[in-house]
Amino acid sequence: MFHKLVIHIVAILAFCNAHAQTADFSAQLTTICVGQSVQFTNLSTGATTYSWTFPDGAAGQTSTLANPLISYNLPGTYTVALLVSNGTSNDTEIKPAFITVLSASTATLSSAPGTDNQFVCQGSLITQIAYDVTGATGADFSGLPAFATGAFNPSVTGGTMTVSGLASTPGTYPYSITTTGPGCTPITVNGVIVINASTSLTVTSAPGTANPTLCVNTTMIDIVFTVGGSPTSVSAIGLPTGVTGVLSGTTFTISGTPISTGSFNYSVVASGGGCPAVQYSGGIAVDPDVQLVSAPSTNNQTLCVNSPLGNIVYTLGPSITGATVTGLPPGITGTYNPGQFLISNSPSAAGTYNYTVTTSGGSCGPALVSGTITVNPPPTLSLDVPGTQIQTLCEGTPIANITYSVGGSATGANVTGLPAGISGIFNAGVFTLSGASTVGGTHNFTVSTTGSPCGTLNLTGTIVIHNFPELNLVSPLGTDNQEVCVNTAMDLILYQLSGTANNISVIDLPPGVNSNVQNDSVFIFGVPSTIGSFTYTVYTSGGTRPPDTVFGVITTGIPPVLNLTSLPGSNNQTVCLNDPINTIVYTISGAANSAFVNGLPLGVSAVFAGNTLTINGSPTVEGSYTFTVEGAGGFCPNATLSGQITVHNPQLTLVSPLGSHTQSLCINSLLDTIAYALSGGATGVNVINLPPGVTSLVQNDTVYIFGTVTSTGIYPFELYTTGTVCEADTTYGSITIGDYPTATLLSITGSDEQAVFENQAIETIIYLLNGGTNNVDISGLPPGVTTQFSGDSLIISGSPTTVGLWPYSFITTGGLCPGDTVFGVINVLIEIETLSVDVPNVFSPNNDASNDVWFVQTEYVEKIELTIVNRYGNIMLESTGPIAAWDGKTKVGSEANDGVYFYKMTVLGKDGSTTQLQGFFHLIR
């Protein structure tokens, strides 16, 4: 781990002269291309071993040969270092930036993929082609089309080659670009630019042929187009029926005989071949031209007399100078205006009318168009015998037939609003109402025509049906035969009248009960004041039918009576668990003949004898019990009284975690909260003998014990309930508080950090042990130094027999609290007048507290001048002072990389001697 140099002062000059060596080297080439090798030549003197370091831009290379051959595979500038040795001393030669490695030229397409091989139309701009270049300062361009140029734009790493310009002349142009300038190897890239001729369409037939006016069924003069460029498709759309377009070579011809009239806007489109499509638009007029432009089917429509016709509109070609129409229904007219013929207005007579429109003028003869207009008549409805539509009769009696005549465009009739049993039938234009109904009331009906597209006619009438009078009970079943206690409101009795009657009467009701007639209902209600059984009668009168009569019974009686006859308040009492209650007594009277109770606590019961109910006993279960006493007899509701018996049994229950009431902790620590639930009537709690810093608090039905302990000792505490006359519940716990075991230096300050010579007695070190410390576990003392206990003190003494730095430590133990860790150091020195320098050859600055610093151990040294460089010759550290150390960081504070580092030292001894040292070491993180 160390290069150790021990220099005896007397012989130092002779030693150095006899073993001197010098490191030096040269190279065959210092500037090469990537992948080439360099032959190094050793020029050192007095050396027997060699250690070369060659960074190559990657992981680095090393060699122990005298004259190594080294390959460089990455471009860059690299330092070379040589460490030589003769077995007793070293020398290092470092040549920064000694080897320069040039890269081969590169060219990478940086414009969009495919731009190096592109198609472009004549007259368009070429999409710029760009290459990023390294290892070159220029470029040669060849094969580019006219008006296209190449350019080289230099940069720090090389430059950019671009091709741009105008595509002027159609053709295929294979091009190449070759890098130029100083470098290792030029590179050539190739591509192709294809320039297509632009697409064109030119009319080459006689002037005017592209926009002709023709007569239907007449062969047209050909329309001829010459196609330019290289389109892959030529087509025509919008031609009249009978006319087509055909491509032959570079000629596109439109020809044929139109068989339909109208104005036709056509287009010829040439597309494909990589260039934009070209379109030619023209028009062909075929006469005579008559077109229906109103909604489809308006030339064939159906409507009613006097309803407006949906306008029928025809457009007329420019050669048509007039138009007439025949066959229209009365009221409908046709009107000619240049370019249009309009049929409109409302028909005044029913029928089916086939019309014809005939054009005039033009060179292609007249044109005929036709259609149909159907006119429907309105519906009719009439009552055959006036007055029969209003009738009054009794239920079950047939009505006199009511008949209606149905005509016009109506094909039938229906009726709504008739009573059940009466209906309507349609037959041969006559609609007849007949039948008999048992559904009383006034029935307003409506007769309506059906089947006509020209609307509906309605006639109305009224049929009145008289029913037999009837009284019906509509209050709940049984209310007409009820039992009710005297002086108590009875349940309402309600009867409803149906049929024909004009009066309702009620007789023989008990005193205090009344009746009230409202419209068709009678209400019986009130508070009976006399005991007995009363049969009442309800009957109707008036109208055309016999009356209806119903009967009912109202029976009245006295209620049961229940009274508390023991001391007032005895029905609401609080007792302790298992203690006898105060006797509670109830007496019955009135219609009552028995009494019973519900809801008593266990251990308490009731006895009924004669007219008295007695409650006695000792409750065996805590809680609050609401009980109910009832006196029963007769048909009136039971008499009811209630009371409450509360049974107390104070309880304290631990609700914090099991064992929390017995805790052991260190002084000034936070106590784990102890919680008890209060129950059984307890409303408070007293807590005794809590340690200082700990308190108690009652919230709702829980007591909490909490705080920070401030005094050591054992504290058995007690809790007991308050707030009730019953025996208190008591519970116990314990809190044990210990101190932290510590150690305090009792001997003079600095005695725990001292330096002595080998076999010399150390200055006695004494520690005072506090806080219950009963033991220490000490380690790291040098041989010859021992420990002993004396009362509450730890004594360290003796004479160390081994040289070195002896850091010692111990941990105090005792009691329940964690101990303290104490550190010290004894530096045992060797007393010899010899200059000693120990240089480590490796260290690892990774903050793991082991070998984190490159530290030169010295003895009898006055001052050291130190310089450290990396393998590229960059200075990492320069220092002057009594010690030589490096923490693995650069001069700017960043962490240095793993690798080999080289040092030079000038050591000044305490005797005035000067020694030069140099070598290398490894940094490994």
Side-chain angles (χ1 to χ4, degrees):
M1 295 292 291
F2 292 88
H3 303 295
K4 186 167 183 179
L5 173 64
V6 179
I7 303 172
H8 295 280
I9 299 173
V10 176
I12 187 169
L13 293 177
F15 181 87
C16 291
N17 290 332
H19 297 83
Q21 70 275 310
T22 303
D24 193 14
F25 61 89
S26 65
Q28 178 187 9
L29 296 171
T30 58
T31 299
I32 63 172
C33 293
V34 167
Q36 293 181 341
S37 300
V38 177
Q39 177 66 61
F40 290 91
T41 302
N42 172 43
L43 302 177
S44 304
T45 60
T48 58
T49 62
Y50 309 93
S51 177
W52 298 80
T53 301
F54 306 99
D56 63 356
Q61 302 181 63
T62 60
S63 178
T64 58
L65 298 176
N67 301 293
L69 179 66
I70 302 300
S71 296
Y72 286 84
N73 298 315
L74 293 174
T77 301
Y78 302 104
T79 296
V80 178
L82 172 62
L83 171 67
V84 297
S85 175
N86 61 7
T88 58
S89 64
N90 304 326
D91 188 39
T92 303
E93 176 66 17
I94 302 172
K95 295 187 178 182
F98 187 58
I99 301 297
T100 299
V101 182
L102 302 176
S103 63
S105 297
T106 64
T108 304
L109 183 69
S110 58
S111 54
T115 53
D116 54 338
N117 291 283
Q118 61 179 278
F119 291 86
V120 63
C121 289
Q122 181 182 9
S124 301
L125 290 175
I126 296 171
T127 301
Q128 189 181 64
I129 306 167
Y131 290 89
D132 288 337
V133 178
T134 61
T137 59
D140 289 332
F141 299 83
S142 63
L144 294 176
F147 297 99
T149 58
F152 184 88
N153 299 307
S155 67
V156 175
T157 59
T160 303
M161 303 184 301
T162 60
V163 175
S164 59
L166 182 70
S168 59
T169 304
T172 299
Y173 299 90
Y175 67 88
S176 62
I177 310 172
T178 302
T179 60
T180 62
C184 291
T185 304
I187 191 170
T188 298
V189 294
N190 301 291
V192 175
I193 299 174
V194 178
I195 302 176
N196 291 330
S198 298
T199 302
S200 63
L201 275 174
T202 305
V203 179
T204 55
S205 55
T209 55
N211 294 281
T213 298
L214 312 173
C215 291
V216 67
N217 297 317
T218 301
T219 301
M220 65 181 289
I221 298 173
D222 291 351
I223 308 172
V224 181
F225 296 87
T226 298
V227 181
S230 55
T232 58
S233 172
V234 181
S235 61
I237 58 174
L239 297 173
T241 304
V243 177
T244 59
V246 176
L247 176 66
S248 177
T250 60
T251 301
F252 186 75
T253 303
I254 297 176
S255 62
T257 301
I259 61 174
S260 57
T261 62
S263 295
F264 299 91
N265 296 316
Y266 70 91
S267 297
V268 179
V269 179
S271 61
C275 291
V278 174
Q279 177 176 305
Y280 177 88
S281 298
I284 300 174
V286 183
D287 277 341
D289 182 11
V290 180
Q291 299 290 332
L292 178 70
V293 294
S294 54
S297 76
T298 52
N299 59 338
N300 290 286
Q301 55 182 289
T302 299
L303 66 161
C304 296
V305 170
N306 297 322
S307 295
L309 178 76
N311 287 349
I312 305 171
V313 183
Y314 295 94
T315 59
L316 308 176
S319 65
I320 297 175
T321 58
T324 59
V325 61
T326 59
L328 292 175
I332 301 297
T333 60
T335 303
Y336 167 78
N337 288 302
Q340 185 186 78
F341 192 77
L342 171 66
I343 299 175
S344 61
N345 290 327
S346 300
S348 59
T352 299
Y353 301 90
N354 297 310
Y355 69 87
T356 300
V357 177
T358 303
T359 66
S360 60
S363 60
C364 297
L368 303 177
V369 292
S370 60
T372 300
I373 300 173
T374 302
V375 183
N376 292 319
T380 61
L381 178 66
S382 61
L383 179 65
D384 293 340
V385 180
T388 55
Q389 83 279 15
I390 299 176
Q391 301 184 33
T392 299
L393 62 158
C394 294
E395 62 177 313
T397 303
I399 68 170
N401 286 355
I402 308 172
T403 60
Y404 296 88
S405 294
V406 179
S409 58
T411 60
N414 59 24
V415 63
T416 59
L418 291 175
I422 300 176
S423 61
I425 297 176
F426 178 79
N427 184 27
V430 177
F431 188 63
T432 303
L433 305 182
S434 62
S437 177
T438 59
V439 179
T442 299
H443 304 275
N444 297 310
F445 66 89
T446 300
V447 176
S448 304
T449 61
T450 62
S452 172
C454 298
T456 301
L457 290 180
N458 300 310
L459 293 177
T460 61
T462 302
I463 299 175
V464 178
I465 308 293
H466 287 169
N467 295 118
F468 292 101
E470 184 177 359
L471 286 167
N472 298 297
L473 180 69
V474 295
S475 56
L477 189 65
T479 53
D480 58 340
N481 191 359
Q482 61 178 285
E483 294 177 330
V484 60
C485 291
V486 70
N487 298 321
T488 301
M490 63 177 287
D491 293 335
L492 176 70
I493 305 171
L494 173 60
Y495 292 94
Q496 193 172 56
L497 173 65
S498 61
T500 54
N502 52 31
N503 190 32
I504 307 173
S505 300
V506 184
I507 59 173
D508 296 332
L509 293 172
V513 177
N514 303 299
S515 64
N516 183 21
V517 177
Q518 293 183 0
N519 299 325
D520 59 352
S521 300
V522 58
F523 300 85
I524 299 174
F525 59 92
V527 179
S529 58
T530 303
I531 299 172
S533 181
F534 301 88
T535 300
Y536 65 86
T537 303
V538 181
Y539 60 92
T540 66
S541 60
T544 60
R545 295 295 177 184
D548 188 24
T549 302
V550 295
F551 304 93
V553 178
I554 300 174
T555 303
T556 60
I558 61 173
V561 179
L562 178 67
N563 292 298
L564 176 69
T565 54
S566 54
L567 293 175
S570 59
N571 60 331
N572 286 285
Q573 55 181 287
T574 300
V575 297
C576 296
L577 188 71
N578 297 318
D579 288 349
I581 69 169
N582 296 323
T583 300
I584 307 171
V585 180
Y586 291 91
T587 302
I588 63 173
S589 59
N593 54 26
S594 65
F596 56 91
V597 63
N598 292 309
L600 293 175
L602 290 177
V604 177
S605 60
V607 176
F608 178 74
N611 65 343
T612 301
L613 179 72
T614 304
I615 302 174
N616 270 315
S618 300
T620 59
V621 179
E622 68 171 297
S624 182
Y625 301 89
T626 299
F627 62 88
T628 302
V629 181
E630 295 188 43
F635 57 78
C636 292
N638 292 348
T640 301
L641 294 175
S642 62
Q644 188 172 42
I645 300 174
T646 302
V647 184
H648 282 173
N649 181 29
Q651 294 288 321
L652 276 170
T653 305
L654 182 69
V655 293
S656 53
L658 187 65
S660 59
H661 65 303
T662 304
Q663 297 187 36
S664 296
L665 64 163
C666 297
I667 191 168
N668 298 321
S669 297
L670 184 66
L671 182 73
D672 290 339
T673 299
I674 307 169
Y676 293 89
L678 303 178
S679 61
T683 60
V685 66
N686 284 334
V687 185
I688 301 173
N689 199 35
L690 292 175
V694 177
T695 187
S696 63
L697 174 67
V698 177
Q699 287 186 344
N700 300 326
D701 58 354
T702 304
V703 58
Y704 299 93
I705 299 174
F706 58 94
T708 300
V709 296
T710 60
S711 179
T712 61
I714 300 175
Y715 296 86
F717 62 88
E718 176 185 353
L719 294 84
Y720 61 88
T721 59
T722 62
T724 177
V725 298
C726 299
E727 181 180 357
D729 187 26
T730 303
T731 189
Y732 305 92
S734 177
I735 300 173
T736 301
I737 306 167
D739 203 352
Y740 294 94
T742 59
T744 305
L745 183 67
L746 193 59
S747 53
I748 64 173
T749 302
S751 60
D752 57 344
E753 295 183 1
Q754 57 179 287
V756 298
F757 289 110
E758 183 180 13
N759 297 316
Q760 175 184 338
I762 69 170
E763 184 178 343
T764 299
I765 307 169
I766 304 174
Y767 290 93
L768 178 64
L769 305 178
N770 309 305
T773 303
N774 56 27
N775 192 23
V776 297
D777 182 12
I778 191 166
S779 62
L781 292 174
V785 176
T786 60
T787 62
Q788 63 177 352
F789 291 97
S790 176
D792 58 357
S793 298
L794 171 67
I795 302 173
I796 302 175
S797 61
S799 300
T801 60
T802 303
V803 174
L805 189 66
W806 297 89
Y808 67 86
S809 64
F810 62 87
I811 300 175
T812 59
T813 59
L816 57 89
C817 297
D820 191 14
T821 301
V822 180
F823 301 93
V825 63
I826 300 174
N827 189 5
V828 182
L829 307 174
I830 183 171
E831 192 170 6
I832 180 171
E833 292 187 2
T834 300
L835 176 63
S836 176
V837 180
D838 290 341
V839 182
N841 59 13
V842 67
F843 79 116
S844 57
N846 54 11
N847 297 320
D848 63 354
S850 174
N851 201 25
D852 281 335
V853 177
W854 185 81
F855 180 77
V856 179
Q857 296 185 0
T858 63
E859 291 182 17
Y860 298 101
V861 171
E862 183 70 27
K863 182 175 67 174
I864 300 176
E865 296 178 355
L866 171 66
T867 300
I868 297 175
V869 299
N870 64 8
R871 59 187 181 181
Y872 305 109
N874 298 322
I875 296 175
M876 300 288 104
L877 176 71
E878 292 180 300
S879 68
T880 300
I883 63 171
W886 184 41
D887 60 359
K889 294 184 177 179
T890 66
K891 293 180 105 178
V892 298
S894 61
E895 292 186 348
N897 296 327
D898 288 13
V900 177
Y901 291 83
F902 304 91
Y903 68 86
K904 286 186 178 181
M905 288 190 291
T906 300
V907 183
L908 178 65
K910 289 184 179 292
D911 60 348
S913 62
T914 300
T915 303
Q916 300 289 335
L917 301 175
Q918 62 181 359
F920 69 95
F921 58 92
H922 294 270
L923 187 156
I924 302 173
R925 290 198 179 275

